[in-house]
């Protein structure tokens, strides 16, 4: 999905290099998530059950375009 690609690229370009090990791990967990679930999380239609992952998705969504 193009929207997911753009969001993930935005994170890689703007935040991954300075991210903590914990945030990098959360990002990798996102990459292991099925696209349809990840899309619902990133579009704000659903939230991950894991609080740390939900917070990370919120921060990911707030990155400027």
């Amino acid at each position: 999905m193009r929207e997911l690609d753009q969001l993930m690229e935005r994170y890689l370009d703007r935040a991954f290099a300075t991210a903590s090990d914990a945030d990098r791990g959360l990002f990798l967990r996102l990459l292991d998530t099925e696209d349809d679930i990840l899309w619902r999380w990133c579009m704000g239609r659903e939230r991950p059950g894991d609080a740390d992952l939900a917070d990370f998705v919120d921060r990911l969504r707030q990155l400027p375009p």
Side-chain angles (χ1 to χ4, degrees):
M1 293 182 189
R2 184 73 180 140
E3 296 90 353
L4 290 178
D5 290 345
Q6 290 174 341
L7 190 59
M8 298 305 152
E9 286 174 8
R10 190 180 314 156
Y11 179 76
L12 288 171
D13 290 343
R14 294 189 173 94
F16 190 79
T18 58
S20 68
D21 288 340
D23 278 352
R24 287 179 180 206
L26 289 168
F27 182 72
L28 294 175
R29 282 180 56 196
L30 282 181
L31 296 180
D32 285 338
T33 303
E34 292 183 32
D35 283 351
D36 59 325
I37 295 169
L38 184 56
W39 185 84
R40 290 192 301 264
W41 291 350
C42 290
M43 297 302 120
R45 299 189 190 288
E46 294 180 9
R47 290 187 50 81
D50 178 287
D52 291 332
L53 200 53
D55 290 339
F56 183 81
V57 169
D58 289 342
R59 288 185 282 132
L60 183 69
R61 294 179 64 218
Q62 293 173 10
L63 288 171

